[in-house]
Amino acid sequence: MLLTNTEEIPGKRITAFYGLVSGSTVRAKHAGRDIMAGLKNIFGGELKGYTELLQESRDEAIRRMKAQAKQLGANAVVNVRFSTSSVAAGAAEIYVYGTAVSVE
C-alpha cells in the first residue's frame, strides 16, 4: 500500500478513486510518563515517553486507514493528512485521512 501526502504519485497513473478513507485512535497518558515528563520540564530534553506514545498512535491510525483502503480495493492512499484533538483531560485523538485510489 503506497501512502503519500501529495495528490499524485510520480511515475504512477491513478486509474480509480474510492473516496475518503480514515483511521483514528484515542490514547491516554500514562501516569509514569507524566512523572518523567514533569522531570524533563525541569532539566530539559526529549520527552521520550510521549514521543513513543505519539508514534504508536500514528502507526495505529495509519494501520486502520490502510485496512479501510484495502477493503475498498485500493492499492494507494494519496493526499494523506494528520490531525490531532484533545478528547478529554489527559486523552488525545490522532486522526489520519486521505483519498483511496488504485494506481498502475
Side-chain angles (χ1 to χ4, degrees), residues 73-85:
N75 64 1
V77 180
V78 297
N79 214 19
V80 174
R81 301 289 186 262
F82 287 91
S83 176
T84 63
S85 62

Side-chain angles (χ1 to χ4, degrees), residues 4 12 22 27 36-37 49-51 59 74-75 79 88 91-92 100 102 104:
T4 180
K12 303 284 185 183
S22 63
R27 299 286 173 110
M36 292 306 294
Y50 287 162
T51 299
D59 291 346
N75 64 1
N79 214 19
S102 282
E104 59 179 24

